[in-house]
Amino acid sequence: MAHTYRIGAAGFAHGHIFTLLKSFTELPNVEWVACADTVPATPSLTNRTERSIQRMRDLVGPVKAQKVVIFVGFGTGTSESQIKEETDLVNELNEDLAPDGISAELLVTPHEEHLAKFSAMLAAGAPPDIVMPIGIGGVAELYDTDAWMDLQPLVDRDNYDMSDFYGPTVTLHTYAKGTLGLPLAVYPSFIYYNKDLFEAGGVDEIPHKFGEAGWDFDKLEEISRKLTLDSNGVSSDKAGFDPMDMRQWGYDESWMDFAGLARQFGATSATGVSDDYKTSLWDDPAYALRAQWVNDAIWKKYMMASPENATEAFALAGNPFLSGVVGMWHVHTWMMGESFAQAPFKWDIGAVPRGPTGVISAQVDADTFVMAAAGKQQDAAWEVAKWSCAPGNLERFAMTWGSVPARLSGTSIFEKSFKEKFPEVDMQVVLDAIDYGDVPNHEGWKPQPAKVGDAVGAAIDTVKLQQNDNCAAIMLDLDKTVQGLLDEYWKGKS
């Protein structure tokens, strides 16, 4: 027997009616008819409406609560201070989405355990609904398994406005398999420099403007050698310098991705693999030239620390720059945490120099969220994701992670926070650096990413280990290894 219910505009004025209707429209044998109210709203009509709603609640029961699990561990976001800030944001999210019966909770996993934990949950048929934050490299870890959901149908369904996101950030999260995430956070790279060491060495500070005339790798080398000192205070560009007794280094880039750095020397790929993922490009002379530059910088020019010196000099500080014995450090914004605000020396940031082929490349990292394709409550997860990406919320998440918000409208919020934390640092360098990021990205997917990554890491370790005038041979060996891994992968697909 079919039942017909009528509800007018006065009924729709009540805040929770949409939530109720979502459940009611699924009832069998029930027909809903919308009609205009013919009687002005009165207390008695309101009471009748409320009684009708209550009767319908009694009929179908309460709206089922949905708890969305946010997995944290694929990237940043796992420090105590970050967890506290993330928890505060999730608490606000829960208040805002409570009328819809949606809540969220964090599942924080140490980074070294993230892949094993997520894979186990996926195998058990109970994957977390959202992974956030996750970088391009994190997406790549499971890209080939189709673990991530294409969000484009949801974007299209809701007519979700993408115009406020910084252009390159949208491209970074768009793949052949679809839109796997919305932009959240951008981590451009640039050069941090120790102003105290520059002043002590009588060296002019580096340019802040990208593309400034004369700011190239030759100038970088000149400054770096003046800032590299032995225990007697002799710089590496002077006679009498003792490379066996070094106490200060002019430059460090050890936390950067080598394939991405090779773009500065003319490499066409930031991954070392062709666009169709079938051919290794490590035989490109640009990689050999960049590798030789690194080897010479350590063992001939004496401007960068060897692996042994780095372990001894930087371990206690946790990174090269905070050791106080590195003049310049090329790295991303994600280092701008509380420890940098409390650094025991004055510092600022400057532009990345132009490479020998005229290219200016400052590789960029980017964080997003992804939704598990096997998730059981994707609509609820999408609402949580949209809340997290909304103006005002996205900026707070991004700055918790030490990044630039991916929304153009969030620039003023970022500026205010940045200037409060780092009043003497040139924020414009951070914003300008985004334009020089690598798209496609150095963390982009490639076949057998873990094995290829291990092979590249081993080759670069060899480059740094001892003086070698033929780093091209190391790159050619790497090329053969990577090509073998690519061939193995595609053979398995045939």
Side-chain angles (χ1 to χ4, degrees):
M1 176 179 177
H3 302 278
T4 300
Y5 293 93
R6 297 174 182 271
I7 187 162
F12 279 101
H14 293 276
H16 300 306
I17 194 69
F18 290 110
T19 301
L20 293 171
L21 287 176
K22 185 176 181 181
S23 298
F24 298 156
T25 53
E26 298 174 357
L27 288 174
N29 301 318
V30 174
E31 176 186 2
W32 289 91
V33 178
C35 61
D37 288 321
T38 57
V39 181
T42 64
S44 60
L45 178 60
T46 300
N47 290 338
R48 287 199 303 274
T49 303
E50 293 292 351
R51 286 197 299 272
S52 296
I53 292 173
Q54 185 58 51
R55 285 198 299 272
M56 288 185 282
R57 282 200 185 103
D58 294 339
L59 178 64
V60 301
V63 176
K64 183 180 179 181
Q66 299 180 83
K67 179 166 284 188
V68 173
V69 175
I70 302 174
F71 188 102
V72 181
F74 271 73
T76 188
T78 59
S79 72
E80 289 186 15
S81 62
Q82 289 176 320
I83 293 170
K84 180 183 182 303
E85 294 177 18
E86 290 161 347
T87 300
D88 290 343
L89 281 161
V90 169
N91 288 340
E92 291 184 30
L93 180 155
N94 289 339
E95 290 181 12
D96 288 349
L97 298 186
D100 298 320
I102 299 173
S103 63
E105 67 177 3
L106 297 173
L107 175 60
V108 181
T109 301
H111 180 72
E112 59 272 16
E113 301 172 13
H114 75 278
L115 194 55
K117 176 72 171 178
F118 182 89
S119 298
M121 296 177 72
L122 188 62
D129 304 286
I130 293 174
V131 176
M132 181 178 80
I134 182 171
I136 296 168
V139 172
E141 287 182 307
L142 293 169
Y143 179 79
D144 199 34
T145 68
D146 294 325
W148 313 128
M149 178 181 176
D150 178 11
L151 303 179
Q152 194 59 47
L154 295 175
V155 171
D156 294 340
R157 183 196 72 186
D158 293 358
N159 195 26
Y160 191 83
D161 184 9
M162 304 283 281
S163 64
D164 189 37
F165 292 119
Y166 190 84
T169 65
V170 175
T171 305
L172 288 170
H173 303 302
T174 303
Y175 297 79
K177 295 183 179 182
T179 301
L180 301 188
L182 300 184
L184 282 171
V186 189
Y187 306 84
S189 69
F190 36 80
I191 295 181
Y192 297 74
Y193 64 96
N194 186 321
K195 298 181 70 170
D196 289 353
L197 297 187
F198 271 73
E199 183 178 354
V203 179
D204 292 337
E205 295 182 17
I206 65 174
H208 290 200
K209 183 177 180 180
F210 284 82
E212 183 169 314
W215 182 223
D216 54 22
F217 268 68
D218 288 339
K219 190 66 176 181
L220 175 70
E221 177 184 319
E222 177 188 329
I223 293 174
S224 297
R225 295 192 68 185
K226 289 180 178 179
L227 293 173
T228 301
L229 306 177
D230 64 18
S231 293
N232 294 317
V234 179
S235 60
S236 68
D237 61 338
K238 300 286 180 61
F241 172 77
D242 184 358
M244 302 302 294
D245 188 23
M246 301 169 67
R247 66 172 177 84
Q248 180 176 301
W249 294 267
Y251 180 68
D252 187 274
E253 60 179 25
S254 59
W255 286 29
M256 300 300 289
D257 179 86
F258 177 78
L261 290 174
R263 292 183 74 244
Q264 299 169 327
F265 279 51
T268 57
S269 169
T271 65
V273 174
S274 63
D275 291 343
D276 63 2
Y277 309 115
K278 293 184 177 180
T279 305
S280 170
L281 302 177
W282 286 98
D283 60 347
D284 182 336
Y287 295 106
L289 290 172
R290 193 63 172 82
Q292 194 64 58
W293 187 89
V294 171
N295 187 270
D296 290 348
I298 296 171
W299 299 106
K300 284 188 175 180
K301 307 296 177 61
Y302 303 113
M303 51 184 263
M304 292 203 306
S306 67
E308 181 180 357
N309 282 337
T311 299
E312 181 179 344
F314 308 154
L316 187 62
N319 65 68
F321 198 58
L322 284 184
S323 69
V325 293
V326 170
M328 294 177 286
W329 189 32
H330 183 188
V331 79
H332 297 266
T333 51
W334 33 254
M335 291 310 304
M336 286 186 170
E338 291 299 328
S339 58
F340 270 50
Q342 300 164 7
F345 52 82
K346 294 180 181 179
W347 60 276
D348 206 341
I349 55 178
V352 173
R354 188 183 303 276
T357 61
V359 174
I360 303 174
S361 179
Q363 58 190 262
V364 64
D365 289 348
D367 275 347
T368 183
F369 71 87
V370 290
M371 288 169 47
K376 302 296 191 296
Q377 44 188 13
Q378 293 174 345
D379 282 339
W382 175 239
E383 293 305 315
V384 169
K386 287 194 296 184
W387 188 96
S388 303
C389 285
N393 300 332
L394 177 147
E395 292 83 0
R396 293 166 64 197
F397 272 116
M399 289 184 288
T400 294
W401 305 326
S403 72
V404 180
R407 281 192 177 276
L408 294 169
S409 60
T411 302
S412 60
I413 298 175
F414 172 73
E415 288 178 351
K416 181 176 183 295
S417 175
F418 188 96
K419 290 178 180 178
E420 287 175 353
K421 183 177 285 188
F422 307 112
E424 298 182 1
V425 177
D426 187 355
M427 184 201 65
Q428 192 60 44
V429 175
V430 178
L431 300 178
D432 291 346
I434 298 174
D435 290 331
Y436 296 90
D438 46 338
V439 180
N441 192 260
H442 62 280
E443 291 188 341
W445 180 80
K446 60 187 77 67
Q448 306 209 70
K451 290 183 178 180
V452 171
D454 288 344
V456 174
I460 302 309
D461 285 346
T462 301
V463 167
K464 295 178 179 179
L465 191 60
Q466 61 185 7
Q467 183 178 346
N468 187 335
D469 292 330
N470 189 17
C471 288
I474 299 174
M475 294 297 101
L476 290 176
D477 286 343
L478 174 61
D479 181 66
K480 293 177 183 177
T481 300
V482 173
Q483 188 61 57
L485 292 170
L486 299 181
D487 292 343
E488 178 182 79
Y489 173 85
W490 290 110
K491 183 178 180 181
K493 291 290 185 181
S494 61

